[in-house]
Amino acid sequence: MKLWGGRFEKATDKTVDDFNSSIRFDQRMYRQDILGSIAHVNMLGKCSIIPMQDAEIIKNTLQDILNDIEAGKITFEIDAEDIHMNIEKILISRIGNIGKKLHTGRSRNDQVALDIRMYLKEEIKVLIKMLCQLEEALLSLSEKHLDTILPGYTHLQKAQPITLAHHMMAYFQMFKRDIERLQDCYKRTNIMPLGSGALAGTTYPLDRKMVASQLDFDYITYNSLDAVSDRDFAIELLSCLSMVMMHLSRFCEELIIWSSHEFSFVEMDDAFSTGSSIMPQKKNPDVAELIRGKTGRVYGDLMGLLTTMKALPLAYNKDMQEDKEAIFDAVDTVRLCLPVFTSMIETMKIHKENMYKGAQGGFTNATDVADYLVKKGLPFREAHEVVGKMVLYCIQHNKSLDALTLEEYKQCSVIFEQDVFKAISLQQCVADRNLDGGPSKEAVLTSINIGQTFIEKSKSLL
Ligand code: ARG
């Protein structure tokens, strides 16, 4: 018989049992469900809503059930629908009538909202920790490559020389924003919904704040209808995670390009590459490709949940049971991707010489030739045109800007002197971009320092 079977004359059709049941995927919230119930029953006892001795018995039995689940001694039943009713059923089977008092003043609607919030609070912390580890890997790569010059691109065309440290710190900034977004999302997850009942609260004098403080929630919800039908925090998390994956996918794409034979800027460690079943020479960046690929499923999870929630009338609707698979899938996927990505970049080989060669081609110092003229008094637009013509001349004569003779320079503009060669060396081009946020060694060191402080602080909040 179902826990809610009182008003029914017939058993549920078998297909409906299977269809309705969420135990297959929500059983992973067993710990949150039991801890939530323990806090609830503690409060019921303390507020004399049920006798204190009964509360004690329920609490101890719930603790036993938790231990038994963790020891693998319990199998859940499809018929009992979800994790909430499975646990309540086991409780009742062990202590009979006393167990039937647990659900006083509570509904599965506020219970499931509580469980998801508890589950996600823990997951957000794990995700932030993993992002901090990735950030630390980026900081240490950057410290090692403050002088490693490579071409920066726009439109995937060589643009201006930068350093590998500067490039890595660009990703540092993206993941820093991801951490900040998760910290912010945590605030809206950290709100305790129990006491909202099915939708309209309850007539029992529950002490909601007592439950919140036992479960380490900083706030309680202030509208029972909203509290049971709100999944904003989950959608927010999926959006944060989509952004993390978007950043990872951009990074992966660059690493895939960089490890192509044409670039040969980096080489993934053997432990993070795979071969081909037919082509013996192949070493493929599968890990990076798979992370790039998995980005799609996390976006899918976000779109799926947004669409599930679209136009749902207040308050709880069964549609909302669909939230869990999307949430779990996205969290699992990001938890899978982050550590493997971090280890991959920590172990990859960096071919500095190829990066430098890459920066030498493609007239990456053309802007600096123009800036040279500007510093000697020519208006920028005129300097731009002079250098544009020089580039054309170089292309026609198959030369680079720094391979031109001083005579050739002077034919383009009389302003040029011998010192132009130093001014347009790649090292100088980078060193001269010495403003906050720029690629010079000093500027990157400043952002590394600011970054380190941020990571230390974020770790201390966990
Ligand atoms: N398994 C349900 C879910 O995940 C729990 C809440 C069910 N509430 C209800 N009134 N049917 O949403």
Side-chain angles (χ1 to χ4, degrees), residues 255-256 259 268 272-274 283-290 344:
L255 294 177
I256 293 163
S259 42
M268 297 307 150
F272 289 87
S273 320
T274 49
K283 181 169 168 185
N284 296 328
D286 284 33
V287 172
E289 291 169 59
L290 199 48
M344 181 178 77

Side-chain angles (χ1 to χ4, degrees), residues 248-261:
L248 283 175
S249 77
R250 296 181 73 176
F251 207 155
C252 286
E253 171 75 7
E254 295 208 301
L255 294 177
I256 293 163
I257 296 175
W258 286 4
S259 42
S260 68
H261 184 74

Side-chain angles (χ1 to χ4, degrees), residues 22 26 81-82 84 108-109 112 316 318 320-321 324:
S22 53
D26 66 15
E81 212 173 304
D82 53 26
H84 325 294
R108 267 189 300 155
N109 297 351
V112 70
Y316 176 85
K318 186 77 171 191
M320 290 164 66
Q321 179 166 285
K324 279 162 223 66

Side-chain angles (χ1 to χ4, degrees), residues 66 88 92 95 117 143 162 179 207 210 257 277 281 341 376 379 391 428 434 450:
L66 178 58
E88 198 181 337
I92 294 169
I95 54 173
R117 285 174 181 275
E143 280 174 328
I162 53 169
I179 293 172
D207 187 341
M210 182 194 290
I257 296 175
S277 59
Q281 84 285 10
F341 183 83
K376 301 230 168 178
V391 169
Q428 202 59 43
N434 187 23
I450 297 172

